Amino acid sequence: MPVFAPKPERAADLRTALRQLQQRSRQDQGCIEYSVYASDGRFVLIEGWESRAELDYHNEQDHVREFVDISVDLLIEPFTVTPITPLD
């Protein structure tokens, strides 16, 4: 679960970039869920994949790499990723 804290003056740009990332990532093989939410000035990404291999493949795609590259200028701090799993 990545969390993104935008620079105040770049929040709209980050929102646009995340929408594009969401749209393209939902088309990646093995994607079960890929949804971005706004919360208290930050954005939270909830994603689900059929397998770890498909997540790894997704993370190597151009649209993901491009987002990671541009996010440096949009964020007040590097984004963090906290893996989560559903309770049984």
Side-chain angles (χ1 to χ4, degrees):
M1 179 181 74
V3 177
F4 307 93
K7 294 176 181 175
E9 70 278 9
R10 301 301 303 273
D13 296 326
L14 180 59
R15 180 182 293 267
T16 297
L18 285 167
R19 279 188 176 143
Q20 292 171 349
L21 178 64
Q22 174 181 265
Q23 181 181 25
R24 294 184 70 191
S25 296
R26 285 178 173 172
Q27 298 172 24
D28 288 348
Q29 181 177 341
C31 180
I32 298 168
E33 179 180 5
Y34 206 93
S35 300
V36 180
Y37 298 88
S39 175
D40 296 327
R42 294 175 180 250
F43 298 95
V44 178
L45 170 60
I46 304 295
E47 59 184 315
W49 298 91
E50 290 182 13
S51 71
R52 179 62 197 206
E54 287 167 322
L55 170 60
D56 292 343
Y57 180 76
H58 158 75
N59 285 333
E60 296 300 319
Q61 298 307 299
D62 288 342
H63 57 276
V64 176
R65 290 175 176 253
E66 290 166 7
F67 173 80
V68 171
D69 288 345
I70 67 165
S71 72
V72 172
D73 293 329
L74 304 176
L75 301 173
I76 59 173
E77 60 192 18
F79 66 87
T80 59
V81 178
T82 302
I84 59 174
T85 56
L87 298 177
D88 292 334

